[in-house]
């Protein structure tokens, strides 16, 4: 069942989004060679506690961490760990915040030191594809319009668009209907309505789209070992331009 949010619920989710965005801006200054994703995870959890918020994914179906930290060929749901990040790595930090019952979810991919031009292009295309999808996220359009916009933008680069994981509705739990694939046909799928809150989170691989699961039952990585990247925002559907609750350049971000 798809739930449309009240004005009060949306305001709570917008404030949670500001906290998520503020943390991502801080993480961007922290990711460097020698830092561990376990340290980054600890920073996120302590910051949330300090500001009266909770890591919504910790404990979700038994997940043990405040963040997902996916490195290089890991597509999503990577476990934070103690091995230091190395020059040339990519790491995607993905987390969900619960602030006074309002939820917000955002993933962002960070480069570790200097990376190749190939990886820089992958990051740029993936981030741009996110905003191409967001442009279609207006009341009256359909879910397929989002996926088609992302697919048509990414296709000329020859990258693989992950199909096994998708965006989703959010609130009151972290995963709600509808699913938001990052490929598809325009004019098809669930119609978007004012008051819906969804995530769009394209996961794009340099190589093939196919994934495989690690033995831990959570971490997905590319089947061919190619590099993967992900960018995600939470947004509110309106009759006009969607409200991106996790936008990192918005006013009123938290002082961390």
């Amino acid at each position: 069942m798809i739930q449309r949010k009240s004005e009060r619920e949306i305001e709570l989710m917008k404030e949670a989004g500001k906290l998520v965005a503020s943390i991502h801006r801080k993480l961007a200054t922290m990711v460097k060679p020698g830092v561990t994703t376990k340290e980054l995870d600890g920073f996120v959890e302590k910051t949330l506690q300090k500001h009266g918020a909770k890591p919504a994914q910790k404990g979700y179906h038994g997940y043990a961490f405040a963040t997902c930290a996916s490195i290089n060929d890991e597509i999503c749901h990577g476990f934070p760990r103690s091995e230091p990040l190395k020059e040339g790595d990519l790491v995607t930090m993905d987390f969900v915040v619960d602030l006074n019952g309002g939820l917000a979810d955002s993933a962002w991919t960070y480069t570790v030191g200097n990376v190749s031009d190939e990886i820089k292009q992958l990051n740029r295309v993936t981030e741009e594809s996110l905003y191409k999808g967001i442009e279609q996220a207006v009341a009256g359009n359909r879910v397929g319009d989002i996926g088609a916009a992302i697919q048509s933008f990414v296709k000329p680069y020859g990258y693989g668009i992950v199909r096994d994981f998708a965006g989703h509705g959010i609130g009151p739990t972290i995963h709600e209907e509808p699913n938001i694939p990052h490929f598809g046909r325009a004019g098809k799928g669930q119609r978007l309505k004012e008051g819906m809150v969804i995530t769009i989170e394209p996961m794009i691989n340099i190589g093939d789209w196919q994934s495989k699961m690690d033995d831990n039952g959570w971490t997905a990585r590319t089947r061919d070992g190619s590099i993967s990247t992900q960018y995600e925002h939470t947004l509110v559907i309106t009759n006009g331009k969607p409200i991106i609750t996790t936008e990192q350049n918005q006013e009123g971000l938290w002082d961390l």
Side-chain angles (χ1 to χ4, degrees), residues 2-47:
I2 297 172
Q3 300 193 35
R4 298 163 71 181
K5 307 301 185 292
S6 67
E7 288 186 13
R8 176 183 175 277
E9 289 172 318
I10 289 172
E11 287 305 311
L12 289 172
M13 297 179 87
K14 286 166 69 175
E15 195 58 36
K18 289 179 180 179
L19 182 53
V20 170
S22 303
I23 293 174
H24 270 299
R25 286 181 61 132
K26 184 67 174 180
L27 287 172
T29 71
M30 298 173 66
V31 173
K32 59 189 65 177
V35 172
T36 72
T37 51
K38 191 172 183 180
E39 291 170 339
L40 299 176
D41 180 79
F43 164 77
V44 172
E45 184 160 17
K46 288 176 183 177
T47 301

Side-chain angles (χ1 to χ4, degrees), residues 38-245:
K38 191 172 183 180
E39 291 170 339
L40 299 176
D41 180 79
F43 164 77
V44 172
E45 184 160 17
K46 288 176 183 177
T47 301
L48 294 179
Q49 291 172 348
K50 177 180 177 181
H51 293 284
K54 297 182 289 186
Q57 65 206 51
K58 189 171 185 179
Y60 182 75
H61 295 308
Y63 190 75
F65 305 98
T67 67
C68 297
S70 305
I71 301 171
N72 295 338
D73 68 327
E74 295 173 340
I75 296 170
C76 59
H77 307 153
F79 285 7
R81 50 189 185 262
S82 300
E83 292 81 7
L85 293 168
K86 304 186 301 297
E87 184 88 11
D89 283 342
L90 283 185
V91 58
T92 300
M93 299 299 298
D94 183 9
F95 54 95
V96 188
V97 165
D98 180 341
L99 179 65
N100 300 319
L103 299 184
D105 184 3
S106 179
W108 218 251
T109 297
Y110 301 98
T111 56
V112 184
N114 295 314
V115 298
S116 68
D117 289 343
E118 183 181 38
I119 288 177
K120 289 177 182 177
Q121 177 177 274
L122 176 69
N123 273 358
R124 177 184 61 78
V125 170
T126 305
E127 184 177 356
E128 289 187 23
S129 77
L130 166 63
Y131 287 97
K132 294 294 183 183
I134 289 172
E135 289 174 2
Q136 299 300 315
V138 298
N141 278 3
R142 293 184 178 273
V143 166
D145 295 319
I146 297 172
I150 292 170
Q151 186 175 17
S152 64
F153 180 75
V154 172
K155 186 176 180 181
Y157 295 92
Y159 296 145
I161 302 172
V162 174
R163 302 184 183 185
D164 297 326
F165 301 91
H168 50 85
I170 183 170
T173 68
I174 66 176
H175 281 137
E176 298 277 335
E177 294 292 332
N179 285 333
I180 312 292
H182 304 110
F183 63 97
R185 295 176 59 191
K188 299 295 183 180
Q190 176 73 40
R191 189 174 296 281
L192 301 171
K193 297 181 180 180
E194 184 178 16
M196 293 170 61
V197 182
I198 64 171
T199 73
I200 301 176
E201 48 187 292
M203 289 156 266
I204 310 298
N205 306 336
I206 284 180
D208 191 78
W209 65 267
Q210 293 182 320
S211 67
K212 61 181 180 181
M213 293 296 296
D214 281 1
D215 292 341
N216 64 27
W218 282 96
T219 305
R221 65 178 70 236
T222 58
R223 187 175 293 275
D224 60 8
S226 63
I227 299 294
S228 185
T229 190
Q230 178 189 14
Y231 289 86
E232 173 189 20
H233 276 314
T234 298
L235 52 138
V236 181
I237 304 299
T238 74
N239 286 321
K241 187 177 180 180
I243 300 168
I244 306 174
T245 69

